[in-house]
Amino acid sequence: KNTNTLQRDTLISRGSLPTQRVHLEGQRLLPLPPPPVEVWLEEKKQRDREVCGFSKDLWLVHGNLYDLSGYVDKHPGGKEWLELMRGSDCTAEFETHHPDIEKVKKILAKYKVGGVDKDAYASLQSYTWDNPNAFYPTIRRKGFEILKQHGGSGPTSFMLLLSYAAVLMFFASLSMTVVTGSFVWSVATGIMMHVMLGVGHNFFHQGNTVLRYAADFSLGGHHQWRVSHCISHHTYANQDVDFEASTLEPYDTFMRSQMGQSIVYLFLAPFVYFISPFLDLGRNVLYTLQGDIPFRIEHLFPFLKLFALVLSQGMWNGVLLFMVMNGTAMWCLVIVSFPVHRTEYAWSDGCQVVEEDHLDFGEHIMASTHDYFPPLQVFGALFFAGTFSNHIVHHLFPTVDLSKQFFLNKLIEDTCKEFNVPYRRRTFWNMFVSMWKMHYRLKSEGLKFKPDDDLDEALMKSKSS
């Protein structure tokens, strides 16, 4: 029962938002990208306030209302996180982003100004949080104690050294592409863009360090990633409301609750992956000009790369080099990150039903997320997997730095045994093949779900030994 959940229509919080899948209407051959994630966030806030009836200037946590206006600038993780969640139910974000939860609860209590109807609040929840001895509260509590023994959740000196080295390597590769006009260097720069996304991914989950801007020189910007990835995907992994799950539909339709692909989309998918960075870039320009999303200085970073290439290599070669760089980076992202969620073995909305009181966040992550086996260490996790390899720990402790995640692996394995929760790890190749099996299937074939089938022989042998 740890691999299933409630039917999606019984939980408001899990359902798609109004315009989240508007790009699928009309079954166009080449659907436009969905509205930007800022629209998703605003619709999520509107839904929360309509259900529970509270002001857009307050924060809803565990059914209580808080006015954090006087605390925003004091927030250790930076004020942007609180500004993003203002006017919404942020119970799950509060629970999952604070390993030192008891200390943070005491701070939060000082700002309480009221509450909302209990039934209305309960209808918004994807998970239950009231049992301090459940699977996730237990693993979070023990994890916090382990992290204290290792200097907290922040990066080690080695991690900072690797991150700044990656930034230097990216700019060196980009400079060679600009100077030589070589498509070999363009591909190399695309690979380094993926590493830059890994650096940004590691740090935009944390406070406002300068390294979060590494993502802005890669695919998208750190502000949008904080909404689409940290707030949407991490909170609602593989649920209908997960923005990342819907953004590449119908070319990548892995959710059991959504219709399968037609044969046309199967063949177009690799091409769409390659051009999706440019579609996103054009969409953001359009919505910024319309005033639907605010302009940010980091929006200029991709155009600075394009301008340098065009100035050095001419219009057509410059644009083509830019496309190869971004397309390569996107393909790297698809190859290393998609298999951790989008396989036959990973739960998604549309799977079977379980009890209403069995909605533990940690058990949901164990069912919808997978790790590479054998695990990669810090260097390999950054430069080869873009920080996506140790993924279960990352989802359970999203604010913990990559260099500290490895201290928590044994805890997760032991806690899973204690609570009889499956801990599924497969080789990268096993997950990669399964991802494409999920991808290349037609509407008539449906979406099979086999979480406990076909475990790797290598993994089974290692466990027996």
Side-chain angles (χ1 to χ4, degrees), residues 25 41 61 82 86 88 138 159 213 237 249 300 331 369 382:
E25 295 177 359
L41 182 61
V61 182
L82 294 184
R86 186 195 298 265
S88 70
T138 299
M159 182 64 197
Y213 285 103
E249 293 173 354
L300 296 177
W331 262 103
T369 312
L382 176 60

Side-chain angles (χ1 to χ4, degrees), residues 163-164 166-168 170-171 192-204 209-222 225 298 301 305 382:
S163 299
Y164 283 111
V167 172
L168 291 175
F170 162 73
F171 279 108
M192 285 310 304
M193 284 175 64
H194 180 251
V195 178
M196 286 283 280
L197 178 59
V199 173
H201 170 245
N202 183 59
F203 286 97
F204 64 58
T209 69
V210 68
L211 283 169
R212 75 188 189 277
Y213 285 103
D216 296 275
F217 286 94
S218 183
L219 301 169
H222 80 274
W225 278 105
E298 56 264 29
F301 292 176
K305 291 188 293 184
L382 176 60

Side-chain angles (χ1 to χ4, degrees), residues 177 248 276 332 359 368 392:
T177 305
L248 283 172
S276 61
C332 289
L359 296 170
S368 61
I392 289 175

Side-chain angles (χ1 to χ4, degrees), residues 95 101-102 105 128-142 360 418-419:
E95 289 280 343
I101 191 70
E102 295 306 320
K105 283 181 178 179
T128 53
W129 307 100
D130 53 354
N131 182 2
N133 297 314
F135 176 75
Y136 181 67
T138 299
I139 211 167
R140 180 184 58 198
R141 182 173 59 253
K142 292 181 178 180
D360 182 88
E418 178 186 348
F419 284 83

Side-chain angles (χ1 to χ4, degrees), residues 42 51 72 97 99 130 140 181 185 273 289 295 343 384 413 422 451:
E42 187 55 38
V51 171
V72 168
H97 282 68
D130 53 354
R140 180 184 58 198
W185 276 111
Y273 287 158
L289 292 175
F295 171 76
T343 69
F384 295 105
E413 187 171 349

Side-chain angles (χ1 to χ4, degrees), residues 17 28 46 55 106 110 133 158 170 173 204 213 236 265 277 287 292 321 331 380 382 399 405 422 437 464:
L17 292 168
R28 305 182 189 93
Q46 291 175 1
S55 168
K106 293 178 182 178
K110 301 176 184 178
N133 297 314
F158 182 59
F170 162 73
S173 180
F204 64 58
Y213 285 103
Y236 306 105
Y265 294 139
Y287 277 82
D292 295 319
L321 288 164
W331 262 103
L382 176 60
T399 60
Q405 293 172 3
K437 285 182 180 178
S464 63

Side-chain angles (χ1 to χ4, degrees), residues 70-227:
Y71 181 72
V72 168
D73 291 329
K74 304 175 187 177
H75 186 231
K79 66 180 183 180
E80 183 180 33
W81 291 110
L82 294 184
E83 290 173 341
L84 286 171
M85 300 308 300
R86 186 195 298 265
S88 70
D89 169 39
C90 45
T91 302
E93 289 81 4
F94 174 78
E95 289 280 343
T96 58
H97 282 68
H98 300 103
D100 53 342
I101 191 70
E102 295 306 320
K103 175 184 176 181
V104 179
K105 283 181 178 179
K106 293 178 182 178
I107 296 173
L108 183 66
K110 301 176 184 178
Y111 298 91
K112 182 178 176 181
V113 294
V116 299
D117 179 78
K118 291 183 179 180
D119 291 336
Y121 164 76
S123 71
L124 276 181
Q125 303 310 302
S126 289
Y127 314 104
T128 53
W129 307 100
D130 53 354
N131 182 2
N133 297 314
F135 176 75
Y136 181 67
T138 299
I139 211 167
R140 180 184 58 198
R141 182 173 59 253
K142 292 181 178 180
F144 177 58
E145 295 302 319
I146 292 174
L147 290 169
K148 285 199 299 184
Q149 298 172 17
H150 295 278
S153 60
T156 61
S157 298
F158 182 59
M159 182 64 197
L160 290 172
L161 177 63
L162 285 180
S163 299
Y164 283 111
V167 172
L168 291 175
M169 291 170 66
F170 162 73
F171 279 108
S173 180
L174 176 62
S175 298
M176 290 300 296
T177 305
V178 171
V179 171
T180 67
S182 166
F183 284 96
V184 174
W185 276 111
S186 180
V187 171
T189 304
I191 294 172
M192 285 310 304
M193 284 175 64
H194 180 251
V195 178
M196 286 283 280
L197 178 59
V199 173
H201 170 245
N202 183 59
F203 286 97
F204 64 58
H205 271 285
Q206 303 174 33
N208 288 339
T209 69
V210 68
L211 283 169
R212 75 188 189 277
Y213 285 103
D216 296 275
F217 286 94
S218 183
L219 301 169
H222 80 274
H223 173 79
Q224 290 179 315
W225 278 105
R226 280 184 163 180
V227 180

